[in-house]
Structure formats: C-alpha cells, structure tokens
C-alpha cells in the first residue's frame, strides 16, 4: 500500500496511468490530497466510485500522529509528530504580523555535528520520507484556527535538507504547486549548513529561497564549530553563493549564530563583511539558543546589537532574530531529543 500523501504529481500520474485512467485523474487526486487535505479516499467526490475502490486497493492517505503540542504565550506552537517507527520529529509554527511560518524538519537527527546545535550533538538517525515532510504540514494545519493558513515554510528544523535532497525538492515542489499547498516560491526557504553540491543543484533545479548557515568568517573558527567546513571550506562555499542565480527581488539569507567569545568580535564582523562582498544577501543574526550541555554561551544583547551595527554600517542588511518560543523549547526539545534550532526564530 502506498501513501498518497507521500507522492508527487508525477508519481500519481504514473500510477493512475498504470490503472488505465486518463491523466486528468492525477490532477484531481493531487488536488484532493494536498490542496483540500482530505483524509479518506471516499471524499474524492468527482472520482467515480469504481475508481475510488480501485484506488483503495493500492493506496491510502496516511494519518499524522501528533504526539505533543506546546504553545508559547508569544504565539509560537511547537509540535512533535510520531513517525511510523516511533521516532519523534519536531515542527514549529511561528506567527509574525501577517505571516504564519512553518519550520519543517528534514531529517531525524543530523550527521553534521555542529557544536552549537543539539541535533548535531545527538547524531543522525535517518532521512524523512516525502510523506513525513508533507505530514508535518498536515499536522500543523490541524492545529490552526478557522480561517488561518500557513503563509511561509522554512526547512530549518532538525537535519540538513540538502542531504535529503530529492525528498526535500519534491516537498518544496508540492508546497509551491498551485494544485498543492499553493505557497509562492519566495515564501519557501531551504537552509543549509553549506553542502556545496546541493547548492549547485538547487541553483539549477529549485525556484525557492536559499539560506546558508555561515556562522563564522574564517575556516579556522568555522572548522571548529562546524565540522562540515572541513569538507566544504569557505572559499568554495562563497564561490557557490556568488554563482547562485537570483531572479527578481530574491536575496540569499546568511545565517550567523552568535556565540560569545567565539565569533562575535569586531574582527569577526569585519571578516564577514569581506567574505560576503559581491553576494546579494541579507544577514540573520541568531544569538545562540542555549541548551543543556551546550559548550557555548550567548552574547549579551548589547554585544549582539554592536555586531549587527558593524554590518549595517558597511551597508549590509542585518536582522537580529531573537528567539521565539524559547519557553516551550525545553519541554519539546526533550521529547524529541533534538534541535533548539527548531524552536527559534531563524525559522
Ligand atoms: N541544517 C540546516 C538547517 C537546520 S538548522 C542548517 O544548518 O542551516 C537551522 C538554523 O539553526 C541554522 O542556521 C543553525 O545555524 C541554527 N542553529 C542551530 N543550533 C542553534 C542554536 N543552539 N542556537 C541558535 N541557532 C541555532
Ligand atoms: Fe545539522 Fe543544521 Fe544542526 Fe548543523 S545546525 S547540526 S547542519 S541541523
């Protein structure tokens, strides 16, 4: 049996064709599944009963198992979803003015081992399937009040999206398909720790936004806090960003987690300015979100503003992302045993 919530339009087209149906059936089914969010095949009222029975023999609509929900007074909602094999993954809904952003996990755990990230400290378990990626949207939609809808999506939860490339790109395709979740391309962002081949593929294949976690201005510092830098050092990474095609008003988002006495000096800020020359970008500064066992601390607010101002004075756009939902993070973080990043406003 196959989960229709884990299938692309092309997958469905292939299946219905194999069942001897006309291509328009695929469009109907895809729309019912993702746009209308039905939970049973019988809800496809414009599909004949005979064909629905045929579908039921090989397909189902996977239910989502929301294991825990934590609501913060600031409006952030963190949800843990239980997967078929018992694993828990997290997603976060972040309301902000007229936006409602869903922060999605791409993997259970993460293999990249960044020293400031709880997910990285806990190691890698497995990639999430396409059904588990779309499942996070359905789980979040189930918690929305009447009339509310998700306006933005960011792949900034647990895991490295570009190491689960195919599923993530299929997922962003469904997010941005008018027959699917219907978000516009510039409302969907993939965040990477700097997997260069993935960035190069995205440059050719994906129409969604790119965010890159730079986090340091030299290989020396970056290598210490992000082991992935040893495989993909800064020169190659910024080269890939310079070559990245940007259409219209698009910019690359540069994420910079600020760690006290590690990457928060004036020299670090100046190094970052130099590094980013020639890249059309905006910088999101994220003061470290501490977690139990973290080896770093968060600079005080004044130091954070100072760092941001050096960048601004050099003509860069720098936003400070103060954490949202920090009060619900502990509880949920323990539940899934993972990433504080899923609960902060990098999302
Ligand atoms: N693996 C991807 C996406 C998930 S992490 C990536 O690294 O980009 C999403 C963001 O959270 C990254 O920018 C990461 O640098 C940041 N992050 C991780 N741990 C954090 C912490 N403890 N405090 C603040 N930001 C953190
Ligand atoms: Fe993985 Fe991103 Fe955490 Fe690094 S910051 S360990 S890449 S999830």
């Amino acid at each position: 049996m196959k989960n229709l919530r884990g299938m692309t339009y092309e997958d469905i087209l292939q299946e219905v064709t194999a069942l001897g149906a006309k291509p328009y059936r695929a469009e109907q089914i895809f729309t019912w599944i993702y746009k209308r969010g039905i939970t049973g095949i019988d809800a496809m009222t414009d599909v004949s009963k005979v064909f629905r029975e045929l579908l039921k023999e090989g397909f189902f609509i996977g239910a989502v198992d929301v294991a825990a929900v934590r609501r913060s007074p600031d409006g952030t909602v963190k949800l843990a979803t239980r997967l078929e094999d018992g694993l828990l993954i997290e997603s976060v809904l972040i309301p902000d003015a007229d936006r409602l952003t869903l922060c999605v996990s791409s993997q259970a755990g993460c293999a990249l081992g960044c020293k400031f990230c709880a997910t990285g400290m806990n190691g890698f378990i497995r990639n999430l399937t396409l059904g588990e990626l779309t499942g996070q949207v359905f789980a979040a939609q189930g918690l929305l009040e009447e009339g509310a809808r998700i306006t933005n999506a960011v792949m900034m939860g647990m895991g490295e999206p570009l190491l689960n490339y195919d599923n993530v790109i299929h997922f962003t395709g469904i997010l941005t398909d008018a027959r699917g979740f219907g978000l516009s391309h510039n409302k969907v962002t993939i965040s990477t720790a700097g997997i260069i081949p993935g960035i190069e593929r995205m440059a050719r294949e994906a129409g969604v936004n790119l965010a890159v976690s730079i986090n340091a201005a030299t290989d020396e510092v970056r290598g210490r806090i992000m082991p992935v830098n040893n495989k993909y050092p800064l020169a190659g990474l910024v080269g890939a960003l310079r070559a990245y095609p940007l259409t219209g008003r698009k910019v690359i988002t540069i994420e910079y987690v600020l760690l006290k006495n590690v990457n928060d000096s004036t020299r670090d800020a100046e190094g970052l300015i130099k590094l980013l020359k020639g890249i059309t970008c905006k910088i999101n500064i994220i003061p470290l979100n501490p977690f139990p066992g973290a080896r770093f601390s968060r600079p005080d607010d004044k130091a954070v503003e100072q760092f941001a101002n050096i960048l601004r004075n050099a003509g860069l756009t720098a936003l400070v992302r103060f954490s949202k939902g920090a009060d619900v993070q502990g509880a949920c973080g323990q539940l899934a045993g993972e990433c504080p990043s899923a609960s902060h406003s990098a999302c």
Side-chain angles (χ1 to χ4, degrees):
M1 294 286 271
K2 291 184 185 161
N3 180 7
L4 287 168
R5 284 180 165 181
M7 294 172 74
T8 62
Y9 170 74
E10 288 73 24
D11 294 335
I12 296 174
L13 181 62
Q14 202 175 357
E15 296 286 355
V16 301
T17 309
L19 291 175
K22 294 254 161 53
Y24 77 91
R25 281 277 180 239
E27 194 139 342
Q28 284 178 319
I29 295 169
F30 187 84
T31 306
W32 279 114
I33 295 298
Y34 295 113
K35 190 172 185 165
R36 307 209 177 136
I38 54 163
T39 54
I41 287 173
D42 278 328
M44 298 180 192
T45 48
D46 55 4
V47 175
S48 71
K49 186 150 193 317
V50 175
F51 194 69
R52 288 194 319 248
E53 292 305 321
L54 196 61
L55 274 180
K56 280 194 233 167
E57 285 172 20
F59 305 91
F60 68 103
I61 301 177
V64 286
D65 179 3
V66 178
V69 178
R70 297 282 183 276
R71 292 174 196 272
S72 160
D74 69 17
T76 304
V77 181
K78 185 160 171 171
L79 50 141
T81 311
R82 191 181 304 281
L83 308 180
E84 237 168 42
D85 55 5
L87 284 174
L88 286 173
I89 53 157
E90 292 183 332
S91 326
V92 191
L93 269 168
I94 306 146
D96 185 15
D98 54 353
R99 290 189 306 189
L100 181 56
T101 301
L102 181 64
C103 179
V104 180
S105 290
S106 57
Q107 301 180 312
C110 182
L112 297 185
C114 302
K115 304 285 189 256
F116 49 82
C117 173
T119 304
M121 306 296 282
N122 288 341
F124 176 69
I125 306 173
R126 67 170 174 84
N127 278 332
L128 299 186
T129 64
L130 182 57
E132 290 164 346
L133 295 173
T134 65
Q136 293 176 68
V137 182
F138 292 118
Q141 283 177 339
L143 301 175
L144 299 182
E145 282 167 18
E146 186 75 30
R149 65 181 288 273
I150 294 165
T151 61
N152 297 58
V154 293
M155 304 296 306
M156 292 185 189
M158 299 163 65
E160 168 51 50
L162 297 187
L163 293 181
N164 186 12
Y165 188 91
D166 289 344
N167 287 336
V168 164
I169 292 299
H170 287 146
F171 174 55
T172 57
I174 294 170
L175 282 173
T176 55
D177 193 320
R179 306 162 299 183
F181 293 118
L183 301 185
S184 74
H185 283 83
N186 58 12
K187 301 281 168 73
V188 176
T189 302
I190 295 177
S191 174
T192 176
I195 305 296
I196 296 174
I199 294 172
E200 290 169 345
R201 263 186 91 179
M202 258 187 85
R204 293 192 299 272
E205 298 170 1
V208 298
N209 295 318
L210 172 66
V212 181
S213 304
I214 288 280
N215 296 337
T218 63
D219 283 324
E220 196 268 306
V221 178
R222 197 166 191 265
R224 247 193 301 142
I225 59 176
M226 300 180 74
V228 67
N229 193 73
N230 301 323
K231 188 158 185 194
Y232 301 117
L234 277 170
L237 179 55
V238 294
L241 300 188
R242 285 207 180 89
Y244 197 82
L246 295 168
T247 48
R249 285 172 34 230
K250 269 203 189 136
V251 298
I252 296 173
T253 300
I254 299 293
E255 293 156 291
Y256 195 98
V257 179
L258 216 51
L259 311 168
K260 189 174 176 175
N261 296 334
V262 175
N263 64 359
D264 64 341
S265 70
T266 303
R267 236 175 112 190
D268 290 309
E270 288 167 355
L272 186 60
I273 293 164
K274 240 194 198 153
L275 192 72
L276 297 180
K277 271 223 168 86
I279 300 173
T280 309
C281 64
K282 67 170 189 223
I283 303 159
N284 279 351
I285 296 168
I286 315 158
L288 175 79
N289 219 8
F291 57 91
R295 285 190 245 158
F296 304 103
S297 51
R298 170 191 186 126
D300 60 41
D301 291 358
K302 211 175 127 216
V304 174
E305 270 312 313
Q306 235 164 28
F307 189 92
N309 281 333
I310 298 172
L311 304 180
R312 289 174 191 142
N313 290 339
L316 292 166
T317 304
L319 300 166
V320 178
R321 298 297 194 162
F322 284 105
S323 297
K324 273 196 162 194
D327 50 340
V328 290
Q329 170 199 325
C332 251
Q334 284 152 5
L335 259 183
E338 56 351 293
C339 193
S341 62
S343 74
H344 67 67
S345 56
C347 299

